[in-house]
Amino acid sequence: MDQHTDPDGTLFTWFRDSALRHSRLTALEVGGESLTYGELLDLAERLAHRLVSVAGRPPRAVGILAARTPAAYAGYLAALRLAATVVPLNPAFPAERNAYVCRAAGVDVVVTDRPDVDVVVTERSGEGSGSGPASVLLDASTRDEVAAGPRWSGPPEGAADDVAYVLFTSGSTGRPKGVPIRHRQLARYVPWWIERYEAGPGSRLSQSFDLTFDPSVFDMFVAWCSGATLVVPQSRELMMPTRFIAAKGITHWFSVPSVISIARRLRGLAAGSLPTLRHTLFGGEPLTLEQAAAWAEAAPHSVIENLYGPTEVTISCTAYRLPADRARWPRTPNGTVPIGTVHDLLDGVVLDDSGRAADEGELCLRGHQRFDGYLDPRQNVGRFVAYDGDRSSVLDGDAVRPGSWYRTGDRVRVEDGQFVYLGRLDDQVKIRGYRIETGEIEHVLRARPEVQDVVVLAVPGPGGPALHAVYTGTEVPDEEFTDLVATRLPPYMVPERYHRRAMLPVNANGKTDRRQLAAELQRDL
């Protein structure tokens, strides 16, 4: 048995065991409020009793419609206490999407900090009856009442093979895809990261991610299974992340790389300005070497790692640690930090278009962390391959075979024994018959000191798709960009047009929203 997690336990039992060991230490800081481990455990168990009372029985799935408040975290733990599946919802998402998620995941009851919960989760058009699940409000007006109620003392807290949570990712059909993750898929993952990042009492971990984005699970349970404190910024504080880190004494920061761009734009990334950071993790989108260098200057005592992983393989599946000596940093064709090598809990193989192992192609994964298939089995079709060590074949059935490999849909290249992320297979650009990795063009454009961020997209036009570059920073004459690219890359990789923006659009998870940007460009042409 590991000191942090019993392999036969659950996220809740691991939290409970840690809470009993560290009952007086601070577990959570959110919205100006602090809760000790003992207080958070007590609130979660009393909220669990309220959920059973409202649902009429222990619920099978609990929606969490709360963001950056105690309700979000107490609700998450209360659901796990009842062996229910946690289904994070987002108050900022359309009501129809939240209603679809509730229906698809079989949500019985919703924990919310929103008195207008019906407005946020009730579907008013298309499928559905116009009614949603029962709800339990946990806000300033009801907190004392819940805290004074009885604690749930019912049956055990579930088993390792139960589904811990379901997250919904964007689907190509327009319907979100439900990804169930079981407790056992985290049993070895969580303690491995606790040891790697030396988390424990006195550590202060950030929670920059919303609960609908799976790195939030990393933050919560690496903190709570080690006796550390989870420190949750409010939305406005995420706009000035370095000020938050310095003010709160954060020791472990995990976010998308876009926060570096935000901090640089606000001139908030001065050298040595983040002295408390010991570990910094970035993930969710490519991390450029330039971004990493700027962060390293601001956080001189921090180890910096780049993590990569689809939700389907449990939070992250590869990692690359930048050397402390800047002279030993890698150089890559697209200017991004490598995503590293596959975790010990997984096997990885790169398959080319012919289905054979190669140095460049689609990354496929199997092993302890790989999920067991989508909530809707029809969405499994074509997402897995059988590979015998020589050739692979795509599985066209909806059943997930033991030992099959999950197709990430991401292109990688092996360089010096490390994976370098190239982009999505379905986003690879083809111009006049040439396959183009837009990251290589972006790397060249970032060589201009005026450019802070840049995205290159293929935008449909009357003569076929054309390359457009969108950048932030100080304006640069188009002809200077064109001359720069033409001296470094083939003619077919020179963008047709350049667009300067004050900022690039981001989606709900903080990633650059390329689809929205492409749609805006096409509309403006």
Side-chain angles (χ1 to χ4, degrees):
M1 180 184 299
D2 188 273
Q3 85 178 86
H4 302 293
T5 60
D6 173 358
D8 296 322
T10 68
L11 288 172
F12 183 82
T13 62
W14 306 334
F15 166 77
R16 181 200 60 199
D17 293 347
S18 182
L20 294 176
R21 290 194 302 269
H22 306 295
S23 61
R24 295 186 179 180
L25 297 183
T26 301
L28 178 67
E29 293 181 9
V30 57
E33 185 174 359
S34 296
L35 292 174
T36 67
Y37 275 89
E39 290 168 340
L40 184 56
L41 174 61
D42 183 73
L43 179 60
E45 294 205 315
R46 295 181 192 278
L47 180 57
H49 190 281
R50 175 64 64 91
L51 291 174
V52 174
S53 298
V54 169
R57 55 176 173 76
R60 298 161 298 174
V62 175
I64 307 297
L65 186 72
R68 306 184 183 280
T69 64
Y73 301 96
Y76 206 109
L77 291 167
L80 294 172
R81 171 63 181 90
L82 298 169
T85 298
V86 178
V87 184
L89 306 167
N90 193 318
F93 287 175
E96 287 75 10
R97 181 186 171 99
N98 284 330
Y100 171 80
V101 166
C102 286
R103 190 172 64 254
V107 168
D108 303 296
V109 61
V110 172
V111 175
T112 184
D113 54 11
R114 299 281 302 258
D116 60 343
V117 60
D118 290 342
V119 175
V120 186
V121 299
T122 300
E123 192 164 34
R124 290 178 291 277
S125 63
E127 301 176 35
S129 62
S131 62
S135 64
V136 170
L137 178 65
L138 185 64
D139 65 0
S141 67
T142 62
R143 172 80 170 271
D144 290 345
E145 179 187 350
V146 172
R151 299 177 66 167
W152 176 250
S153 58
E157 303 86 354
D161 202 47
D162 291 344
V163 174
Y165 58 85
V166 175
L167 296 177
F168 284 77
T169 64
S170 297
S172 58
T173 62
R175 283 298 194 184
K177 294 187 293 186
V179 182
I181 298 296
R182 302 180 189 277
H183 297 277
R184 59 173 164 77
Q185 287 157 343
L186 292 145
R188 293 165 60 194
Y189 179 90
V190 169
W192 192 79
W193 290 106
I194 289 173
E195 297 297 335
R196 184 176 177 91
Y197 297 132
E198 305 169 303
S203 299
R204 294 173 63 78
L205 277 69
S206 66
Q207 172 89 119
S208 70
F209 302 102
D210 288 337
L211 296 184
T212 49
F213 197 15
D214 64 337
S216 64
V217 179
F218 179 106
D219 294 334
M220 286 187 286
F221 290 94
V222 169
W224 290 340
C225 293
S226 68
T229 302
L230 184 72
V231 187
V232 184
Q234 298 302 295
S235 297
R236 64 183 182 278
E237 291 175 310
L238 285 173
M239 297 306 296
M240 303 193 71
T242 53
R243 181 180 294 180
F244 170 80
I245 292 168
K248 300 296 185 180
I250 301 298
T251 59
H252 296 65
W253 174 263
F254 190 7
S255 75
V256 292
S258 298
V259 302
I260 303 176
S261 302
I262 293 172
R264 294 174 73 186
R265 186 166 62 246
L266 298 175
R267 303 184 186 278
L269 208 59
S273 58
L274 303 174
T276 63
L277 278 183
R278 303 200 310 264
H279 291 275
T280 301
L281 290 76
F282 292 109
E285 61 185 359
L287 170 67
T288 69
L289 287 160
E290 183 185 20
Q291 287 173 321
W295 194 268
E297 289 289 333
H301 310 301
S302 177
V303 174
I304 300 176
E305 289 200 4
N306 190 28
L307 271 59
Y308 156 86
T311 302
E312 289 86 346
V313 288
T314 313
I315 305 173
S316 69
C317 59
T318 72
Y320 179 83
R321 178 172 289 188
L322 281 163
D325 181 1
R326 288 277 301 278
R328 295 175 52 218
W329 280 26
R331 298 181 68 180
T332 60
N334 60 6
T336 64
V337 177
I339 60 173
T341 55
V342 174
H343 300 339
D344 293 344
L345 305 178
L346 289 162
D347 298 317
V349 64
V350 179
L351 299 175
D352 64 16
D353 293 342
S354 70
R356 296 184 184 274
D359 287 337
E360 182 175 328
E362 182 179 16
L363 179 59
C364 298
L365 300 153
R366 70 176 181 182
H368 185 79
Q369 293 175 221
R370 194 214 70 190
F371 78 140
D372 297 325
Y374 293 105
L375 202 60
D376 180 352
R378 293 172 296 181
Q379 294 172 326
N380 295 330
V381 177
R383 298 310 310 152
F384 296 84
V385 297
Y387 175 62
D388 61 8
D390 179 29
R391 298 198 66 163
S392 65
S393 58
V394 177
L395 302 176
D396 56 7
D398 61 9
V400 180
R401 299 182 194 173
S404 61
W405 301 72
Y406 173 69
R407 302 179 60 198
T408 64
D410 289 323
R411 289 185 66 83
V412 299
R413 181 186 298 152
V414 181
E415 296 186 10
D416 297 325
Q418 306 289 329
F419 292 133
V420 175
Y421 179 81
L422 301 179
R424 294 288 299 168
L425 287 177
D426 49 9
D427 287 341
Q428 189 180 55
V429 176
K430 199 169 187 179
I431 302 290
R432 297 191 297 275
Y434 293 100
R435 287 186 176 181
I436 296 172
E437 300 293 350
T438 57
E440 295 188 26
I441 309 172
E442 293 165 358
H443 177 45
V444 172
L445 295 174
R446 281 195 294 268
R448 290 288 304 223
E450 301 94 335
V451 174
Q452 291 186 342
D453 285 311
V454 61
V455 172
V456 175
L457 302 165
V459 179
L467 293 174
H468 288 241
V470 186
Y471 67 98
T472 63
T474 305
E475 188 164 3
V476 177
D478 289 4
E479 58 271 20
E480 293 186 19
F481 272 141
T482 296
D483 291 345
L484 174 65
V485 179
T487 60
R488 301 275 296 275
L489 298 172
Y492 61 81
M493 296 182 75
V494 177
E496 184 175 292
R497 292 186 60 181
Y498 301 87
H499 311 263
R500 179 179 170 272
R501 297 286 179 90
M503 62 180 62
L504 300 178
V506 296
N507 61 22
N509 294 328
K511 301 180 185 181
T512 300
D513 196 330
R514 290 173 176 258
R515 290 185 180 180
Q516 179 182 333
L517 195 55
E520 291 175 359
L521 291 178
Q522 191 169 7
R523 185 182 63 240
D524 294 342
L525 291 180

